[in-house]
């Protein structure tokens, strides 16, 4: 089932929005580890792009620590990944490449999900331990759509689809691209659903990080940096219009969108603010308990 953004439901407890940021999205793991350390659980997760992938694993009942270990296992050994791509079967290199005379060679998003997602991820969204909604962008309609039911890998593959690089499956006949293009941090869906408090994690990063590192951006970095700027401005506007209860933005400017092989460094950068995240999140939940931030009314 696909529904347009803006359709809502009743109270859902803690809402957690995980934004897009490609490799920088690995920082979401640290926020989820704080949730596990505090013994709290989101009532609803909204994810876009990499946030949808990390959110899908966590919503399937896989702990944040296990997600960290899986990511490091896969991304810290590029030679092993390359061998796996060439072993044949459904996870082979041929399965990942989607051949078409009209569009050249692209990476098949669904095959990519099958390769990099933990094995215990649920098959369907209805089977998740924690409800999840995934933001995708309908290319021809030029609008965000929200997927809350159906094939989980298909929804995540649509949300991570990068035009010209990662091909998404068509869903209900619609051509989908990266969910972060239209909604980089989809926290408003949690607000509409009645979640409280709402916590948003923004991992877009800022292209100025390349300048501080003394690197001159190449053509690919310029294109990705332009998308970064667009997503930053969208997120900034949405935050001003209807701010979430807690905004978390780890220091990720030094990393590029495709720095997946720097997984340890990205996690270390986010780990640097772990105590601050725990303090702020704990204070927020205490405010809710004291009634400073009122909980939404129960469903009728």
């Amino acid at each position: 089932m696909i529904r347009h953004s803006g359709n809502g439901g009743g109270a859902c407890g803690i809402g957690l929005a995980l934004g897009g940021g490609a490799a920088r999205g690995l920082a979401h793991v640290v926020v989820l580890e704080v949730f596990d350390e505090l013994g709290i659980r989101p009532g609803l997760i909204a994810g876009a792009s990499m946030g949808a992938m990390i959110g899908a694993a966590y919503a399937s009942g896989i702990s944040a620590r296990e997600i960290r270990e899986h990511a490091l296992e896969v991304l810290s050994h590029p030679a092993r990944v390359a061998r796996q791509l060439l072993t044949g079967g459904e996870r082979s290199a041929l399965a990942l490449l989607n051949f078409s005379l009209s569009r050249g060679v692209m990476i098949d998003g669904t095959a990519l999900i099958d390769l990099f997602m933990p094995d215990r991820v649920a098959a369907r969204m209805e089977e998740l331990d924690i409800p999840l909604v995934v933001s995708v962008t309908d290319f021809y309609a030029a609008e965000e759509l929200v997927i809350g039911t159906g094939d989980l890998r298909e929804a995540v593959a649509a949300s991570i689809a990068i035009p010209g690089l990662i091909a998404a499956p068509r869903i209900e006949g619609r051509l989908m691209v990266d969910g972060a293009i239209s909604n980089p941090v989809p926290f408003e869906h949690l607000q509409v659903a009645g979640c409280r408090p709402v916590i948003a994690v923004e991992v877009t990063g800022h292209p100025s990080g390349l300048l501080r590192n003394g690197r001159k951006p190449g053509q690919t970095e310029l294109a990705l940096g332009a998308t970064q700027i667009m997503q930053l401005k969208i997120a900034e506007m949405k935050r001003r219009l209807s701010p979430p209860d807690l905004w978390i933005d780890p220091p990720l400017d030094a990393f590029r969108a495709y720095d997946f092989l720097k997984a340890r460094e990205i996690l270390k950068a986010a780990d640097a603010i772990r105590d601050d995240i725990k303090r702020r999140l704990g204070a927020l939940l205490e405010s809710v308990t004291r009634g400073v931030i009122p909980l939404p009314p129960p469903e009728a």
Side-chain angles (χ1 to χ4, degrees), residues 170-245:
R170 285 183 177 267
I171 301 178
E172 296 183 2
R174 300 179 180 186
L175 175 63
M176 302 299 177
V177 293
D178 191 346
I181 289 176
S182 56
N183 197 347
V185 192
F187 62 84
E188 74 274 20
H189 303 306
L190 306 171
Q191 295 169 328
V192 170
C195 296
R196 203 64 185 270
V198 170
I199 298 145
V201 187
E202 190 263 311
V203 292
T204 308
H206 196 286
S208 64
L210 297 175
L211 180 63
R212 288 200 298 271
N213 287 338
R215 291 201 305 259
K216 181 180 179 180
Q219 293 304 310
T220 299
E221 287 180 328
L222 283 172
L224 292 173
T227 302
Q228 249 183 302
I229 294 169
M230 176 191 71
Q231 293 173 349
L232 283 169
K233 293 303 179 183
I234 292 173
E236 179 184 309
M237 178 186 66
K238 288 175 50 201
R239 185 183 178 189
R240 284 200 309 265
L241 290 173
S242 181
D245 300 297

Side-chain angles (χ1 to χ4, degrees), residues 53 95-98 103 106-117 152-162 165-170 176:
M53 183 184 292
L96 283 174
L97 295 178
N98 190 337
R103 66 187 175 194
M106 294 180 66
I107 298 172
D108 185 289
T110 305
L112 194 65
I113 292 295
D114 286 339
L115 177 63
F116 288 105
M117 290 274 271
L152 179 61
R153 284 170 171 77
E154 183 180 71
V156 174
S159 192
I160 68 167
I162 300 175
L165 179 61
I166 301 176
R170 285 183 177 267
M176 302 299 177

Side-chain angles (χ1 to χ4, degrees), residues 25-110:
L26 292 166
H28 288 312
V29 172
V30 174
V31 177
L32 295 175
E33 286 174 338
V34 170
F35 268 74
D36 288 348
E37 289 166 11
L38 292 176
I40 57 177
R41 174 185 171 101
L44 177 63
I45 298 173
S49 198
M50 191 64 175
M53 183 184 292
I54 300 290
Y58 192 71
S60 295
I62 301 172
S63 72
R65 175 61 61 176
E66 290 176 286
I67 296 172
R68 176 190 284 257
E69 291 171 354
H70 178 80
L72 291 175
E73 174 64 21
V74 172
L75 298 172
S76 297
H77 305 284
R80 186 182 305 171
V81 172
R83 285 196 299 271
Q84 188 175 3
L85 294 179
L86 298 173
T87 56
E90 292 184 357
R91 293 188 174 189
S92 70
L94 292 180
L96 283 174
L97 295 178
N98 190 337
F99 292 91
S100 170
L101 292 177
S102 63
R103 66 187 175 194
V105 179
M106 294 180 66
I107 298 172
D108 185 289
T110 305

Side-chain angles (χ1 to χ4, degrees), residues 272-288:
I273 64 166
R274 175 189 296 270
D275 290 342
D276 181 63
I277 295 171
K278 187 178 293 186
R279 177 188 58 77
R280 294 169 62 204
L281 181 54
L284 174 65
L285 296 176
E286 184 179 347
S287 296
V288 171

Side-chain angles (χ1 to χ4, degrees), residues 112-146:
L112 194 65
I113 292 295
D114 286 339
L115 177 63
F116 288 105
M117 290 274 271
D119 292 334
R120 286 166 40 217
V121 169
R124 296 188 62 79
M125 301 184 80
E126 295 88 347
E127 300 169 357
L128 291 168
D129 289 358
I130 300 171
L132 170 74
V133 292
V134 172
S135 291
V136 300
T137 301
D138 184 321
F139 180 78
Y140 289 115
E143 65 181 3
E144 179 197 12
L145 296 175
V146 182

